[in-house]
């Protein structure tokens, strides 16, 4: 069960970091939308820099998530061995990981779109 505790801890940390990045992207989208295309070069450059940092952070989170080792086979093995508690915990963690992958992909796509828009303004 210690391995599951570590996986759960890692996923919790990644979820928190993903929420931070999501909120940053949303804030950047709002700022970019409110800034007109005639905004100062400094403002555009600042938004562009922040957006690049966000996309890099999201990529790093995805790489960290890839390092979280958990498999469906482990849940199936636990179930076959009669360890329902472990199988249930693994299934919950797998679901959490899947949701996190989806969130990071969606946030990354939004950040990439925003980056393209900001680069077009420059």
């Amino acid at each position: 069960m210690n391995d599951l505790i570590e996986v759960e801890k890692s996923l919790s940390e990644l979820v928190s970091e993903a929420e931070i990045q999501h909120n940053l992207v949303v804030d950047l989208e709002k700022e970019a939308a409110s800034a007109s295309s005639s905004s100062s070069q400094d403002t555009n450059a600042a938004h562009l820099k922040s957006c690049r940092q966000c996309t890099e952070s999201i990529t790093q989170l995805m790489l960290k998530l890839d390092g979280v080792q958990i498999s469906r086979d482990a849940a199936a093995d636990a179930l076959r061995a009669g360890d329902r508690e472990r199988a249930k915990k693994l299934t919950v963690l797998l679901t959490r990981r899947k949701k996190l992958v989806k969130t990071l992909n969606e946030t990354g796509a939004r950040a990439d779109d925003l980056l393209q828009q900001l680069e077009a303004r420059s």
Side-chain angles (χ1 to χ4, degrees):
M1 274 301 202
N2 284 342
D3 58 330
L4 294 183
I5 292 170
E6 286 300 315
V7 168
E8 185 172 21
K9 181 181 173 190
S10 295
L11 286 176
S12 293
E13 290 170 1
L14 289 169
V15 166
S16 295
E17 291 177 39
E19 287 174 2
I20 290 168
Q21 293 306 315
H22 174 79
N23 291 336
L24 285 172
V25 170
V26 169
D27 290 344
L28 281 169
E29 287 173 331
K30 289 177 185 175
E31 289 174 19
S34 68
S36 66
S37 57
S38 63
S39 293
S40 73
Q41 288 291 350
D42 291 341
T43 302
N44 287 337
H47 286 144
L48 196 55
K49 181 181 178 183
S50 295
C51 193
R52 283 187 180 129
Q53 289 171 339
C54 265
T55 57
E56 179 60 29
S57 294
I58 292 165
T59 300
Q60 292 302 316
L61 288 174
M62 288 179 177
L63 291 172
K64 285 181 187 178
L65 183 58
D66 282 344
V68 176
Q69 298 298 317
I70 186 169
S71 73
R72 287 180 281 201
D73 291 339
D77 291 344
L79 195 56
R80 278 192 290 273
D83 191 348
R84 289 187 178 273
E85 181 180 335
R86 183 173 176 83
K88 182 179 177 182
K89 185 72 167 174
L90 282 162
T91 303
V92 168
L93 292 174
L94 283 164
T95 301
R96 219 170 153 197
R97 186 182 188 286
K98 185 176 181 178
K99 287 179 184 177
L100 183 55
V101 167
K102 182 180 177 199
T103 298
L104 286 172
N105 283 333
E106 289 172 352
T107 303
R110 287 176 73 172
D112 287 343
D113 289 345
L114 180 59
L115 186 60
Q116 288 178 354
Q117 292 171 16
L118 293 172
E119 286 174 339
R121 286 187 195 173
S122 299

